[in-house]
Amino acid sequence: MPLKNPDLLRSQCYINGAWVAADDGDTLNVTNPATAETITSVPRCSAAQTRAAIDGATLAQREWRKRTAADRANVLHTWHHLMLEHQEDLAQIMTAEQGKPLAESRGEIAYAAAFIQWFAEEGKRTYGDVIPSPFPNSRIVVIKEPVGVCAAITPWNFPAAMITRKAAPALAAGCAMVVKPAEQTPLSALALAVLAEQAGVPAGIFSVVTGDPHVIGGELTSNDKVRKLSFTGSTAVGRLLMQQCAPTLKKLSLELGGNAPFIVFDDADLDAAVAGAVASKYRNAGQTCVCTNRFLVQTKVYDAFAAKLAQAVAKLKVGHGTESDVNQGPLIDEAALCKVEALVADAVQGGAKIVGGGGRHALGGTFYTPTVLTGVLPNMRVAKEEIFGPVAPLFRFDTEEEAIQMANDTEYGLAAYLYARDIGRVWRVSEALEYGMVGINSGIISTEVAPFGGQKSSGLGREGSKYGIEEYLEIKYLHMGL
Ligand code: ADP
């Protein structure tokens, strides 16, 4: 990997300001999904090491919370600048371990850094309240305080941004954070820790512990000193973690799975809809929780939309993320590839037609050809399960009511998209969608300034925006007798 600063590539964990191996020296290999080669290995840390990270965070947080918000913001701003200064190296590390095209990795580093900048500033605005007292001889004041020691368990699809959008509000609010990154992508997390250390984040305030999810997750969820868990990942694991947090009653933010509908009405600008569809579906090879899972297309424009989409998708270049002009890299692993294959096979067996792609890519490995399916029906697996791959299933509908009913016919409620020009329809449908986020004539919705999160089985809480920092703040009410 051509790094200007090879020091960013680490094979040790960062616990309480020290770079360490596992207690017993055990390691975990990190693999490049495009080549199947081992990049390096990281420690398989023990529960005792996780406990040490939590203990260190507890001590360090007592001092960190006393500093002014402006003081903490200065440290965060330095971290933000360092990320941008090392954007290219961070992107190279990300593409190596995750597979996404370099252009997307560079974009994610900028996006990840933006959360740090945003929350550095939001930390200064954690206002309280003065409530008019119902009693003549007392006054009522509300203040906001940091929650304390927080834990984050993060996924592999956004190896940097899913960490900063938890760690930045936590640190800005005066909390400490222990992160367990996904086992597939720990190197981006460790590179962030290198820069946090350089930026002056005090020892113990930001630790990264790598290894077995059950061992580290078990400690993070059961330890009484951890007051909050923020998790991004599958709904199944989210439910499990919620259960594990129940005995110690932690605060929870859960950003879980989705089954995003993308509704194309017959008054839509079809070219704009196709551009939005490609952006929403094929980014990161379809491996994001807000990627479209189901295209619902009104009958009158169904054939035209399908033809235009297939044409656009045929132009996507599949390859190693490090090659120039590549739009789509490999899937993260063999299991992901097998799932996509099984879902497509199920749809085809049920009568769906492949109008583009439809199988493994000639490059081999975990590369899959961008695919479009028509004639897809609500009883097929692609209608219910998160595809997490570059496959666009097209369902047909006739009326607005039918579109809303189909869109909401899922346990999930993260992102939804709709393309239409009739302003009344846009409002009616947006309000009827049981989703936390709605993209209207827009296929990309993620930004640090807006609240990201879901309803129903897609989770709890919001990340980013002015709302995101509230997840790391406690409300305390002071009743003052005069
Ligand atoms: P994905 O399907 O995207 O890999 P997961 O929910 O399996 O989603 O993983 C997201 C994160 O949750 C990863 O960091 C993974 O290591 C972690 N994880 C998975 N299972 C557990 C568990 N039982 N306890 C704690 N963390 C877990």
Side-chain angles (χ1 to χ4, degrees), residues 295-303 374-378 394-398 402 406:
F295 286 91
L296 314 180
V297 189
Q298 203 156 13
T299 296
K300 213 168 113 191
V301 293
Y302 188 94
D303 291 338
T374 56
V376 185
L377 302 172
L394 271 54
F395 302 76
R396 191 185 291 267
F397 71 88
D398 288 314
E402 196 185 351
M406 287 169 81

Side-chain angles (χ1 to χ4, degrees), residues 153-156 180-183 213-214 217 231-234 237 240-241:
I153 298 182
T154 56
W156 48 262
K180 190 212 79 67
E183 45 278 40
H214 299 273
F231 169 74
T232 299
S234 61
V237 173
L240 186 72
L241 296 175

Side-chain angles (χ1 to χ4, degrees), residues 390-465:
V391 176
L394 271 54
F395 302 76
R396 191 185 291 267
F397 71 88
D398 288 314
T399 64
E400 190 178 303
E401 292 67 33
E402 196 185 351
I404 292 167
Q405 187 276 325
M406 287 169 81
N408 288 339
D409 187 18
T410 166
E411 67 169 306
Y412 297 107
L414 193 61
Y417 306 87
L418 69 104
Y419 274 72
R421 285 286 158 202
D422 175 329
I423 189 70
R425 168 179 277 169
V426 166
W427 271 109
R428 279 193 305 274
V429 177
S430 298
E431 290 181 357
L433 287 169
E434 294 163 0
Y435 287 82
M437 299 174 281
V438 181
I440 299 159
N441 296 319
S442 164
I444 297 284
I445 53 174
S446 301
T447 157
E448 73 281 5
V449 312
F452 190 105
Q455 303 182 359
K456 294 159 76 178
S457 295
S458 290
L460 306 171
R462 293 293 180 273
E463 296 191 301
S465 81

Side-chain angles (χ1 to χ4, degrees), residues 30-363:
V30 185
T31 309
N32 182 330
T35 61
E37 283 162 8
T38 300
I39 304 167
T40 181
S41 65
V42 293
R44 202 187 279 272
C45 289
S46 64
Q49 286 178 293
T50 311
R51 218 157 26 243
I54 296 167
D55 289 341
T58 307
L59 284 178
Q61 197 258 338
R62 286 184 195 147
E63 299 307 315
W64 182 244
R65 66 170 287 168
K66 287 185 199 154
R67 288 166 71 162
T68 63
D71 195 0
R72 289 194 294 264
N74 285 339
V75 175
L76 291 171
H77 280 306
T78 309
W79 195 12
H80 166 250
H81 287 307
L82 285 170
M83 277 188 75
L84 294 184
E85 195 180 311
H86 295 283
Q87 183 176 13
E88 190 55 33
D89 279 354
L90 295 172
Q92 291 282 351
I93 291 171
M94 187 183 294
T95 291
E97 66 178 348
Q98 204 277 342
K100 64 175 70 177
L102 262 180
E104 285 190 32
S105 292
R106 291 185 189 114
E108 183 183 335
I109 296 303
Y111 174 56
F115 282 102
I116 301 181
Q117 183 185 43
W118 173 265
F119 283 113
E121 292 305 307
E122 283 303 295
K124 299 173 186 171
R125 294 186 268 274
T126 57
Y127 302 117
D129 256 322
V130 180
I131 298 176
S133 174
F135 312 108
N137 58 348
S138 71
R139 300 290 179 263
I140 294 173
V141 175
V142 176
I143 58 173
K144 304 268 181 83
E145 294 185 338
V147 161
V149 174
C150 303
I153 298 182
T154 56
W156 48 262
N157 60 347
F158 289 96
M162 295 305 106
I163 293 175
T164 57
R165 77 175 174 187
K166 301 177 191 314
L171 269 54
C175 299
M177 182 160 262
V178 178
V179 180
K180 190 212 79 67
E183 45 278 40
Q184 295 92 335
T185 58
L187 302 178
S188 295
L190 295 170
L192 288 184
V194 172
L195 300 179
E197 185 180 20
Q198 270 180 35
V201 173
I205 292 298
F206 179 75
S207 288
V208 177
V209 187
T210 59
D212 187 297
H214 299 273
V215 173
I216 301 169
E219 185 62 37
L220 292 176
T221 51
S222 64
N223 192 309
D224 200 29
K225 289 181 179 154
V226 176
R227 295 316 312 144
K228 177 185 171 91
L229 172 72
S230 179
F231 169 74
T232 299
S234 61
T235 296
V237 173
R239 284 200 179 100
L240 186 72
L241 296 175
M242 194 170 181
Q243 275 174 0
Q244 289 177 199
C245 286
T248 51
L249 223 65
K250 297 188 201 318
K251 289 184 177 300
L252 284 170
S253 297
L254 301 173
E255 203 266 271
L256 309 176
N259 183 358
F262 186 111
I263 312 171
V264 184
F265 286 100
D266 55 18
D267 62 326
D269 173 337
L270 277 197
D271 291 325
V274 167
V278 171
S280 143
K281 176 73 251 186
Y282 297 95
R283 191 163 61 109
N284 203 4
Q287 303 172 113
T288 89
C289 48
V290 293
C291 275
T292 296
N293 213 57
R294 298 169 291 153
F295 286 91
L296 314 180
V297 189
Q298 203 156 13
T299 296
K300 213 168 113 191
V301 293
Y302 188 94
D303 291 338
F305 178 80
K308 278 175 185 279
L309 182 63
Q311 215 174 24
V313 168
K315 291 190 193 131
L316 294 176
K317 187 175 168 202
V318 179
H320 291 222
T322 47
E323 287 168 23
S324 59
D325 301 335
V326 161
N327 308 107
Q328 192 192 291
L331 296 183
I332 190 72
D333 54 26
E334 186 68 22
L337 181 72
C338 291
K339 174 159 190 209
V340 170
E341 279 189 320
L343 292 182
V344 170
D346 172 79
V348 169
Q349 202 178 14
K353 262 180 53 193
I354 294 171
V355 293
R360 291 183 181 222
H361 192 270
L363 282 170

